[in-house]
């Protein structure tokens, strides 16, 4: 019941502090996820990490120069140095043989080093006003106040508004930058605008979750959402929901257990959603991919067994003779247990039948076996006739294609080759009785 | 004497990192080094819970296993999940780092790891350590002993495994044909990076160790096309930055590790602009 009470207390939002923290983390989670979708799709997932580390020198410099902690001045400094870092990564990798990932690691670690150098310099210089600058390092989500939430709100509206306004342009430069260039879109300008939005999202978010974890706020929701959809608009909505939910959850955990840090919990929740999506998403998930693979493997095994039984029948002129697995094994290298598994599956489909330990094709199974052999031989003939490949080189290719060809493609092949009788190795190409129609 | 120990600590960490960094950037794995240096945090915390100290054998095991777990997860998300490489790096290390921070808060009473230390370390502490004498006639702080041992191991790995590392870096398919296991060398290198990261962790922290890994190697990469020369230049760049960084930090009264990273940045900038063959200003004049 304790948990239930906690949940009730939290979601009633009676406590004004909870309201700010929850609202703040939700706004942050959603808006950084939306911006993150574009950096993710542009294959610049780590640019958020670069910016997060690189805004520190800007913050410190603007504090040293203007002697104030006015959030707007600090934000300005953060924007400038974050922006320079993005530019430098591009510049270094374009102008030298240094690879982009090296450039990213170089820029982020050196900028962060300069930032820490300035920060420790400020701290040791005895200026009492500096206290609190270190929230840019670790984030202070649990201490969000009204002003922060107002800032978050304004920035979120700004980010989302800009993205809606230039949605078409942004999606163009994310998916096909060359096409965008060809149709005369000012690509460079929109890239700069998108970078600016990213820098802005990072500069705001970092105060909540800290330097290291900011990268996750941008890309993890986008990566998770990508598994569920192929449509950009849907992806953005899903990412925003995941970001918002994780923000809320993180706030809830640090409310129930005040010693728990909010930022890391948000990231842990995000990561679990992403890993879960990676596993179970219906089309792109790992599990469904493995299933598909297994299904293909099973089909190949079954096809091969039917083909073998048919060819043996062809050779011995008796399609319906009972044959033992030992005998089948002599003709094709398949482990015995695999043979048994495949045969049992085929029995369920009524393609083969068995008497004791002997196996035999059914009428239905004979037709299936015949079809595979036919496709195999047609394809061999196609390769030798149309691609001029030597007859002794076509078997391997046909072994693969025979499992893939659809009835429509088969018909096309037959018409293209004009219902040939022999394959390149002078074996008969078997047809059904009604095949010539 | 304290100056000497701090500079020596910096040099030892910089040499190990610089040498390994050369292989990382040549293998296009710079960001995997970055990821490992963050993702070993939970390993460090768990090992700390068991052993109660940062300088211990369990620590190395904990760190190395999390380092390998990181590379494994990145590969897994990339290959099985179909997630692009940079995104799988980003997701893996932020996740593990977050777990590390949560573990620190959870066991705050037992784990004395300072939050600042996680990010940028405190190399000056080495001067406060008592001296121990492991070899006759030489007494040095514990950190120096550990970093020194790791440096010798790293150098030994490169000297004795030079052929394997060279082949798997530049021509993995040829290496595979002549029976050199790319996977084994990959994981050996990753273990070396994890261990080096961890022993450097207390001195320079998770982020600045990345500067030590990447910046000297990138600087050396612009100066030469030959691996042996690159390794030597990277080590030298690290040594110069350690010495220069120390005095910069003393002058500004600021973090030594951060100053070392700053000097590394200056070194890179100078080489980027003026390197004999690759410097962009030199290139302009040649045109």
């Amino acid at each position: 019941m304790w948990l239930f009470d906690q949940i009730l207390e939290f979601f009633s939002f009676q406590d004004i502090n909870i309201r700010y923290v929850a609202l703040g983390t939700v706004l942050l989670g959603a808006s950084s996820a939306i911006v993150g979708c574009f950096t993710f799709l542009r294959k610049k997932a780590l640019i958020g990490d670069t910016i997060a580390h690189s805004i520190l020198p800007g913050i410190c410099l603007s504090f040293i120069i203007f002697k104030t902690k006015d959030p707007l001045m600090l934000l300005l400094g953060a924007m400038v140095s974050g922006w320079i870092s993005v530019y430098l990564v591009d510049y270094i990798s374009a102008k030298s043989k240094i690879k982009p990932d090296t450039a990213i690691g170089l820029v982020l670690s050196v900028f962060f080093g300069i930032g820490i150098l300035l920060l420790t310099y400020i701290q040791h210089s005895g200026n009492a006003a500096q206290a609190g600058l270190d929230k840019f390092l670790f984030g202070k989500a649990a201490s969000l106040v009204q002003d922060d939430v107002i800032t978050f709100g304004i920035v979120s509206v700004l980010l989302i508004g800009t993205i809606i306004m230039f949605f078409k342009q942004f999606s163009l430069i994310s998916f096909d930058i060359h096409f965008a260039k060809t149709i005369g879109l000012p690509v460079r300008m929109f890239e700069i605008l998108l970078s600016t939005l990213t820098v802005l999202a990072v500069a705001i978010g970092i105060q909540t979750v800290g330097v290291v974890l900011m990268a996750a706020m941008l890309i993890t929701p986008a990566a998770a959402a990508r598994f569920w959809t192929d449509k950009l608009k849907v992806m953005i909505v899903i990412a925003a929901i995941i970001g918002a939910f994780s923000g809320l959850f993180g706030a809830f955990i640090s409310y129930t257990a005040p010693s728990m840090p909010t930022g890391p919990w948000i990231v842990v929740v995000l990561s679990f959603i992403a890993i879960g999506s990676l596993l179970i998403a219906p089309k792109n998930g790992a599990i469904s991919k493995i299933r598909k693979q297994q299904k293909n493997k099973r089909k190949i095994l079954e096809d091969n067994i039917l083909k073998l039984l048919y060819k043996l029948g062809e050779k011995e002129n008796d399609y319906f003779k009972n044959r033992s697995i030992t005998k089948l094994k002599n003709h094709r290298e398949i482990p015995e247990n695999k043979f048994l598994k495949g045969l049992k599956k085929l029995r369920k489909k009524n393609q083969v039948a068995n008497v004791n330990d002997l196996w035999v094709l059914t009428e239905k199974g004979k037709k299936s076996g015949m079809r595979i052999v036919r496709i195999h031989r047609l394809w061999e003939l196609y390769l030798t006739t149309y691609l001029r490949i030597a007859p002794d080189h076509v078997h391997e290719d046909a072994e693969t294609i025979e499992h893939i060809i659809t009835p429509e493609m088969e018909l096309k092949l037959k018409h293209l080759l004009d219902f040939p009788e022999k394959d390149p190795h002078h074996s008969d190409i078997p047809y059904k009785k009604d095949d010539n129609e | 004497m304290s100056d000497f120990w701090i500079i020596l600590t910096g040099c030892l960490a910089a040499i190990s990192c610089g040498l390994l960094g050369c292989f990382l950037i040549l293998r296009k794995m710079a960001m995997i080094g970055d990821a490992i240096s963050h993702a070993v945090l939970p390993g460090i915390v768990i090992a700390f819970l068991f052993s109660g100290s940062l300088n211990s054998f369990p620590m190395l095991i904990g760190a190395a296993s999390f380092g390998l777990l990181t590379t494994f997860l990145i590969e897994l998300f990339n290959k099985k999940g179909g997630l692009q490489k940079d995104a799988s790096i980003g997701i893996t290390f932020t996740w593990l780092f977050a777990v590390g921070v949560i573990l620190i808060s959870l066991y705050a009473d037992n784990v004395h790891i300072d939050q600042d230390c996680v990010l940028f370390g405190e190399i000056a502490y080495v001067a406060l350590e008592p001296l121990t004498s492991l070899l006759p006639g030489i007494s040095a702080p514990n950190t120096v002993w550990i970093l020194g041992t790791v440096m010798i191991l790293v150098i030994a790995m490169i000297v004795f495994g030079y052929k394997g590392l060279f082949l798997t870096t530049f021509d993995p398919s040829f290496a595979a044909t002549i029976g050199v296991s790319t996977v084994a060398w990959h994981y050996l290198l990753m273990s070396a990076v994890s261990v080096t990261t961890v022993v450097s962790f207390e001195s320079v922290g998770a982020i600045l160790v990345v500067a030590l890994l990447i910046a000297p190697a990138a600087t050396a990469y612009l100066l030469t096309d030959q691996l042996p020369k690159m390794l030597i230049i990277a080590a030298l760049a690290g040594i110069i930055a350690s010495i220069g960084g120390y005095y910069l930090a003393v002058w500004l009264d600021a973090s030594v590790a951060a100053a070392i990273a700053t000097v590394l940045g200056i070194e890179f900038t100078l080489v980027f602009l003026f390197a004999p063959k690759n410097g962009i200003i030199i290139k302009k004049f040649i045109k």
Side-chain angles (χ1 to χ4, degrees):
Chain A
M1 283 325 280
W2 173 83
L3 187 67
F4 187 69
D5 287 346
Q6 293 279 314
I7 292 173
L8 215 60
E9 207 177 313
F10 178 80
F11 286 100
S12 66
F13 297 115
Q14 289 291 325
D15 188 335
I16 191 111
N17 287 326
I18 301 176
R19 213 179 298 168
Y20 292 138
V21 174
L23 199 60
T25 50
V26 165
L27 279 173
L28 170 75
S31 50
S32 47
I34 293 172
V35 178
C37 283
F38 291 98
T39 53
F40 175 82
L41 289 173
R42 298 182 70 211
K43 306 226 173 357
K44 296 197 167 176
L46 290 172
I47 209 71
D49 199 32
T50 319
I51 298 170
H53 287 78
S54 304
I55 63 173
L56 195 60
I59 290 167
C60 294
L61 273 179
S62 90
F63 178 79
I64 291 174
I65 295 169
F66 302 112
K67 305 258 183 314
T68 166
K69 265 196 313 190
D70 177 8
L72 267 181
M73 294 317 270
L74 294 186
L75 187 64
L76 193 72
M79 296 278 295
V80 171
S81 71
W83 209 88
I84 291 175
S85 74
V86 177
Y87 178 75
L88 271 182
V89 169
D90 284 345
Y91 186 74
I92 290 175
S93 43
K95 290 282 172 180
S96 72
K97 57 178 181 172
I98 302 245
K99 309 280 181 303
D101 68 326
T102 306
I104 287 178
L106 182 77
V107 168
L108 79 82
S109 60
V110 169
F111 266 62
F112 188 74
I114 298 171
I116 294 290
L117 186 78
L118 294 173
L119 184 69
T120 45
Y121 167 72
I122 295 169
Q123 283 170 340
H124 296 174
S125 65
N127 186 341
Q130 53 82 20
L133 274 184
D134 65 344
K135 78 173 172 192
F136 287 94
L137 288 181
F138 308 110
K140 295 266 187 300
S143 60
L144 288 175
V145 290
Q146 196 179 3
D147 284 356
D148 297 319
V149 176
I150 293 172
T151 319
F152 282 14
I154 296 171
V155 172
S156 307
V157 170
L158 209 67
L159 288 177
I160 297 170
T162 319
I163 284 177
I164 292 176
M165 207 183 329
F166 299 113
F167 183 79
K168 221 175 174 176
Q169 287 87 339
F170 286 154
S171 27
L172 259 179
I173 63 168
S174 305
F175 286 116
D176 198 341
I177 195 153
H178 299 295
F179 177 66
K181 265 183 200 154
T182 337
I183 61 166
L185 199 72
V187 169
R188 194 72 198 128
M189 195 188 94
F190 283 106
E191 279 187 321
I192 292 172
L193 185 58
L194 204 52
S195 306
T196 313
L197 293 183
T198 318
V199 174
L200 188 62
V202 171
I204 294 296
I206 201 170
Q207 304 172 47
T208 314
V209 297
V211 169
V212 178
L213 300 179
M214 191 56 218
M217 300 297 289
L218 286 170
I219 51 161
T220 312
R226 182 68 188 85
F227 285 106
W228 298 95
T229 175
D230 292 329
K231 293 198 179 70
L232 179 59
K233 279 181 191 163
V234 184
M235 175 179 161
I236 289 177
V237 173
I238 297 177
I241 292 170
I242 292 174
F245 171 77
S246 309
L248 193 65
F249 200 88
F252 171 69
I253 287 179
S254 60
Y255 169 73
T256 48
S259 67
M260 281 288 137
T262 317
W265 271 109
I266 298 179
V267 173
V268 167
V269 175
L270 276 178
S271 308
F272 272 109
I273 296 176
I275 294 168
S277 309
L278 182 147
L279 289 176
I280 60 162
K283 222 173 79 190
N284 302 318
I287 292 177
S288 91
K289 269 189 203 155
I290 292 171
R291 280 241 178 94
K292 233 178 268 166
Q293 263 172 19
Q294 281 173 341
K295 210 176 131 198
N296 283 342
K297 265 192 198 152
R298 228 171 25 231
K299 182 178 180 327
I300 290 173
L301 176 69
E302 289 171 17
D303 281 1
N304 284 339
I305 293 175
L306 285 174
K307 188 175 63 175
L308 176 61
L309 284 168
Y310 180 85
K311 274 167 120 177
L312 283 174
E314 190 181 50
K315 208 165 103 191
E316 294 163 13
N317 233 335
D318 181 1
Y319 292 105
F320 302 109
K321 196 168 121 187
N322 292 330
R323 294 181 172 93
S324 69
I325 289 186
T326 331
K327 176 147 188 241
L328 295 179
K329 256 173 66 185
N330 289 339
H331 293 274
R332 199 172 174 108
E333 285 291 330
I334 300 177
E336 187 162 336
N337 59 340
K338 281 257 172 81
F339 252 124
L340 203 63
K341 218 172 108 192
L343 283 166
K344 278 182 179 161
K345 281 267 172 206
L346 286 170
R347 187 176 56 191
K348 265 191 204 147
K349 294 181 187 166
N350 213 10
Q351 307 254 34
V352 297
N354 76 321
V355 192
N356 299 326
D357 283 339
L358 299 175
W359 298 83
V360 61
L361 278 174
T362 61
E363 193 60 48
K364 193 176 160 199
K366 185 192 156 195
K367 261 189 198 153
S368 310
M370 182 203 268
R371 174 167 186 265
I372 299 157
V373 171
R374 182 167 62 239
I375 293 173
H376 182 107
R377 291 177 182 166
L378 280 171
W379 186 256
E380 287 184 339
L381 189 63
Y382 172 74
L383 287 183
T384 48
T385 328
Y386 281 88
L387 297 177
R388 311 230 168 259
I389 296 174
D392 53 339
H393 279 71
V394 292
H395 176 76
E396 290 299 320
D397 199 56
E399 275 294 288
T400 322
I401 204 90
E402 65 192 18
H403 309 291
I404 299 165
I405 286 195
T406 59
E408 295 79 20
M409 288 160 79
E410 185 193 338
L411 195 68
K412 241 184 181 167
L413 273 177
K414 280 191 283 203
H415 282 284
L416 195 65
L417 298 164
D418 199 17
F419 295 92
E421 284 175 8
K422 302 267 185 195
D423 78 352
H425 311 108
H426 310 291
S427 308
D428 285 326
I429 297 179
Y431 294 99
K432 279 179 280 179
K433 279 184 200 133
D434 52 355
D435 237 11
N436 288 324
E437 290 158 13
Chain B
M1 202 56 189
S2 68
D3 299 6
F4 174 74
W5 292 129
I6 295 171
I7 293 175
L8 183 63
T9 308
C11 288
L12 292 174
I15 293 170
S16 311
C17 291
L19 294 175
L20 292 172
C22 290
F23 290 102
L24 286 181
I25 73 165
L26 288 173
R27 287 164 168 251
K28 302 187 187 64
M29 285 169 54
M31 287 315 285
I32 294 187
D34 177 62
I36 289 181
S37 69
H38 289 74
V40 290
L41 186 62
I44 291 178
V45 179
I46 292 170
F48 199 103
L49 281 175
F50 280 108
S51 68
S53 111
L54 270 175
N55 299 328
S56 63
F57 190 64
M59 188 63 71
L60 296 186
I61 304 281
S65 39
F66 268 84
L68 293 182
L69 177 71
T70 312
T71 36
F72 175 74
L73 283 177
I74 292 173
E75 298 255 317
L76 190 75
F77 293 161
N78 182 222
K79 299 257 164 68
K80 298 277 173 207
L83 204 58
Q84 66 210 39
K85 189 95 180 211
D86 55 347
S88 40
I89 291 176
I91 290 174
T92 310
F93 88 79
T94 50
W95 172 43
L96 291 173
F97 189 82
V99 170
V101 176
I102 289 172
L103 285 175
I104 292 181
S105 333
L106 205 58
Y107 298 104
D109 299 337
N110 303 323
V111 180
H112 306 288
I113 300 177
D114 191 10
Q115 250 197 333
D116 287 10
C117 172
V118 169
L119 292 188
F120 52 92
E122 192 40 275
I123 203 169
Y125 284 164
V126 71
L128 306 176
E129 284 178 30
L131 304 185
T132 44
S133 176
L134 292 183
L135 289 175
I138 309 171
S139 46
N142 260 333
T143 309
V144 170
W145 283 116
I146 293 170
L147 280 170
T149 315
V150 168
M151 184 191 76
I152 290 168
L153 287 177
V154 167
I155 293 175
M157 180 186 89
I158 293 173
V159 171
F160 293 110
Y162 187 80
K163 197 181 140 207
L165 280 170
F166 184 90
L167 281 178
T168 52
T169 301
F170 291 104
D171 200 343
S173 38
F174 176 63
T177 2
I178 61 166
V180 178
S181 166
T182 45
V183 178
W185 284 105
H186 173 79
Y187 279 104
L188 182 67
L189 188 64
M190 291 301 109
S191 317
V193 171
S194 317
V195 168
T196 310
T197 312
V198 172
V199 295
S200 318
F201 196 85
E202 209 185 1
S203 310
V204 296
I207 299 174
L208 295 181
V209 80
V210 181
L212 290 183
L213 279 171
I214 299 177
T219 309
Y221 187 51
L222 289 182
L223 285 172
T224 176
D225 292 329
Q226 283 161 297
L227 183 58
K229 278 190 192 157
M230 183 176 166
L231 289 166
I232 291 168
I233 296 173
L236 282 177
I239 293 171
I240 295 170
S242 302
I243 299 170
Y246 177 73
Y247 289 105
L248 176 65
V250 171
W251 179 55
L252 286 176
D253 185 19
S255 155
V256 178
I260 295 176
T262 308
V263 176
L264 284 171
I266 296 170
E267 285 177 4
F268 178 82
T269 313
L270 290 177
V271 169
F272 184 72
L273 296 175
F274 302 113
K277 238 169 69 191
N278 298 308
I280 55 165
I281 291 191
I282 303 296
K283 269 193 213 159
K284 270 204 183 123
F285 275 112
I286 292 171
K287 262 182 205 164

